[in-house]
Amino acid sequence: MKAGMWDLNQLFPSGFARATATVSLLLACLSSSATAAEVSLLWTAPSENNSTGTVSGYDLRYSSTPVGADTVSWWSAASQAVGEPAPSTPGTTESYLLAGLSGGVTYSVLLRSYDEAGNVSPFSNLLSFTAPDTTSPPPPPPPP
């Protein structure tokens, strides 16, 4: 092993693997009402330890501030979603309705999963979208 390299097998007990697999977010549907915009997010439930078991939970964060070079700082400052679904069997499609967004605003979203010991997965892919405008369109012009 090269100097400065870490052997993870020596740092952690045998059988330890990454807490959870990386989660990939998909944008399913954007919708709005007269007062608020919402987005439906989809992802595939990951397994714990990259092979078996169900993760313990999800942590979804969102912000109108773009994610910069320091993802950890962005994550700490972002709004934490409430009411994420309980994790399902690995491979199952999960969904979450992120509601109460401001129309016409661009949001960034990241998701992580965690296990019962509090180990967290890497960040999901970055999902950015512009929430639908919640203002009513102007009335049509009067007929000539």
Side-chain angles (χ1 to χ4, degrees):
M1 184 168 36
K2 294 181 183 177
M5 300 292 287
W6 294 94
D7 182 351
L8 295 180
N9 293 322
Q10 293 177 359
L11 293 174
F12 298 105
S14 69
F16 178 87
R18 182 185 298 163
T20 59
T22 303
V23 184
S24 293
L25 280 171
L26 298 172
L27 178 65
C29 179
L30 293 168
S31 62
S32 66
S33 66
T35 57
E38 55 192 28
V39 59
S40 180
L41 303 170
L42 300 175
W43 64 90
T44 301
S47 62
E48 184 179 19
N49 296 327
N50 290 328
S51 61
T52 62
T54 302
V55 299
S56 295
Y58 297 114
D59 188 357
L60 187 132
R61 307 279 177 108
Y62 64 99
S63 177
S64 59
T65 302
V67 177
D70 186 355
T71 306
V72 174
S73 291
W74 178 92
W75 179 263
S76 296
S79 297
Q80 186 171 11
V82 177
E84 295 99 324
S88 299
T89 304
T92 304
T93 299
E94 304 275 30
S95 65
Y96 179 75
L97 184 66
L98 183 57
L101 303 172
S102 298
V105 174
T106 299
Y107 289 92
S108 296
V109 179
L110 287 173
L111 177 69
R112 297 177 95 176
S113 59
Y114 56 89
D115 67 11
E116 69 281 348
N119 299 309
V120 295
S121 70
F123 294 110
S124 68
N125 60 303
L126 172 63
L127 177 64
S128 293
F129 62 90
T130 301
D133 193 355
T134 56
T135 59
S136 301

